[in-house]
Amino acid sequence: MRMPTYFLCHGGGPWPWMQGPLRRILAELERGLLNVPAQWPAQPTAILVISAHWEERAFTVTTAEAPGMVYDYTGFPPEMYAIRYACPGSPSLAARVVNLLQAAGLPAAGSATRGYDHGTYSVLQTLVPAADIPVVQLSMRRSLDPDEHLQAGRALAVLRDEGVLIIGSGMTCHERGPDMAAPSAAFDDWLQRVVCDQDAVARRQSLRMWERAPHARVVHPREDHLLPLMVAAGAGWDDPARCVYRDRLMGFVTVSSYRFGGRASDGLHDE
């Protein structure tokens, strides 16, 4: 069975391990993530996460059998720098990812030392708390070229037929504060129309030209947190898309998550 592919908002830092204000602020995000596994046609054989928090000159994958943790955040309690998401890696999947990307003419490499960052484990701690599914993390290219990332997704789409769940992990708005209320809502409205309402060809063309969207460079002064969407959309290619989560974080910032493929009714409600 072909797995769907996702772009998921990952929230802030190690929030699934925390209690208190941050966890409460992200309660709707958590509920949205908890709804996702019910949409899968089967348990994934492995998960490939494209994280907004890793950039390299070439697309790079974690190749270790048990990747470590990258604590890529500051200002959290000391115990948040000892948390573990102890899933296995998958050297065989990592090698396949590299081969598929290189066959598509894209530079790709492996890293035996890179661990999982919070773009991966903050999402997976909620989706798969048992940590019993092998996980490989994929970097973005430092160029942040949207077409390259769409093409990377297209090259990796075959993995969906092998039971691999592909997740782009980022944020549709990476800025904060009340000044972001209007710009993030306008940008997110545009993104909803592009991803969910346009046909696949128009969707890809609009995503390539995302900087023309309303307030694009206000909500994304740097597009690192948007580019994982391009990989997810590339892997989805001609599949219809559906919004699986939409919220105003902290009451101000409008953000959304998307699924490509799967049945329209699978575990979803209207957003």
Side-chain angles (χ1 to χ4, degrees), residues 109-130:
S111 172
T113 58
R114 172 74 186 199
Y116 304 125
D117 60 52
H118 84 265
T120 291
Y121 52 76
S122 64
V123 169
L124 294 184
Q125 175 65 17
T126 309
L127 295 184
V128 190

Side-chain angles (χ1 to χ4, degrees), residues 40-53:
W40 302 340
Q43 181 87 334
T45 58
I47 300 175
L48 175 65
V49 181
I50 301 89
S51 173
H53 289 272

Side-chain angles (χ1 to χ4, degrees), residues 27-216:
E28 285 301 318
L29 173 62
E30 185 169 12
R31 277 192 281 270
L33 290 171
L34 289 170
N35 287 334
V36 166
Q39 302 163 26
W40 302 340
Q43 181 87 334
T45 58
I47 300 175
L48 175 65
V49 181
I50 301 89
S51 173
H53 289 272
W54 188 18
E55 299 171 30
E56 298 285 354
R57 292 180 62 184
F59 289 107
T60 306
V61 292
T62 56
T63 63
E65 292 186 359
M69 301 282 281
V70 178
Y71 302 115
D72 54 337
Y73 42 79
T74 59
F76 288 87
E79 61 269 23
M80 293 298 107
Y81 300 89
I83 60 172
R84 296 286 297 167
Y85 185 76
C87 66
S90 178
S92 60
L93 175 59
R96 181 136 168 74
V97 168
V98 170
N99 289 338
L100 288 169
L101 291 172
Q102 290 179 341
L106 297 166
S111 172
T113 58
R114 172 74 186 199
Y116 304 125
D117 60 52
H118 84 265
T120 291
Y121 52 76
S122 64
V123 169
L124 294 184
Q125 175 65 17
T126 309
L127 295 184
V128 190
D132 56 356
I133 299 175
V135 176
V136 168
Q137 184 175 305
L138 173 64
S139 79
M140 298 180 295
R141 279 204 77 190
R142 200 166 289 153
S143 65
L144 299 181
D145 179 86
D147 191 57
E148 283 185 337
H149 289 76
L150 283 163
Q151 294 302 325
R154 188 180 191 187
L156 297 171
V158 65
L159 298 174
R160 296 172 57 195
D161 296 315
E162 300 168 14
V164 177
L165 182 69
I166 298 174
I167 297 174
S169 175
M171 297 290 287
T172 52
C173 176
H174 196 224
E175 296 296 290
R176 304 173 185 173
D179 290 347
M180 285 297 108
S184 66
F187 181 79
D188 209 74
D189 286 344
W190 173 86
L191 197 60
Q192 291 266 333
R193 292 192 297 271
V194 165
V195 172
C196 298
D197 298 339
Q198 291 188 341
D199 65 63
V201 174
R203 178 174 71 204
R204 292 193 293 273
Q205 186 61 17
S206 295
L207 290 176
R208 290 184 183 101
M209 299 186 297
W210 72 272
E211 290 176 277
R212 300 183 184 180
H215 306 289

